[in-house]
């Protein structure tokens, strides 16, 4: 994952106000516009891919993927943080993109 995108996700995970604002986004383009005001250096496609991964993780059978293991072992984010972000952000944006 792009380092700028990781930085944005980390900030988002730690800040409830940012999470609330991101959750209000009705499309991926809106989410990207918001996210790029916070941290620049990633594309809308990278954001969409990360949100899809988050959403997929929230619907998984509870087993960790290789990426999950790398993130957890590297101290990036806890799985529960990904699920929280994915449900609050990725689902509305993904639904609007369809």
């Amino acid at each position: 994952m792009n380092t700028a995108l990781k930085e944005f996700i980390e900030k988002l995970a730690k800040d409830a106000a940012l999470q609330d604002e991101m959750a209000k986004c009705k499309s991926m383009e809106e989410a990207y516009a918001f996210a790029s005001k916070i941290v620049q250096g990633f594309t809308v496609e990278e954001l969409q891919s990360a949100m899809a991964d988050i959403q997929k993780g929230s619907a998984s059978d509870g087993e960790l993927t290789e990426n999950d293991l790398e993130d957890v072992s590297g101290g990036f984010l806890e799985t529960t943080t990904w699920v929280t972000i994915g449900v609050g952000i990725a689902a509305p944006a993904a639904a609007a993109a369809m």
Side-chain angles (χ1 to χ4, degrees):
M1 182 184 294
N2 177 315
T3 24
L5 185 53
K6 281 184 183 180
E7 180 184 344
F8 171 70
I9 302 266
E10 287 173 348
K11 285 183 178 193
L12 191 62
K14 295 176 184 175
D15 189 330
L18 284 180
Q19 292 171 23
D20 290 344
E21 288 300 312
M22 187 74 168
K24 292 177 185 176
C25 296
K26 294 182 180 12
S27 70
M28 185 53 64
E29 290 73 23
E30 218 177 292
Y32 176 73
F34 173 76
S36 63
K37 288 179 186 174
I38 309 301
V39 176
Q40 296 181 341
F42 54 91
T43 66
V44 67
E45 291 82 13
E46 289 171 318
L47 178 62
Q48 187 168 13
S49 176
M51 293 296 109
D53 288 346
I54 291 167
Q55 187 177 16
K56 188 180 356 172
S58 69
S60 73
D61 60 4
E63 292 193 28
L64 296 175
T65 65
E66 281 296 315
N67 286 339
D68 294 334
L69 292 173
E70 287 176 23
D71 290 342
V72 172
S73 67
F76 177 54
L77 288 175
E78 297 176 15
T79 303
T80 54
T81 302
W82 281 106
V83 172
T84 301
I85 294 170
V87 171
I89 298 159
M98 292 183 174

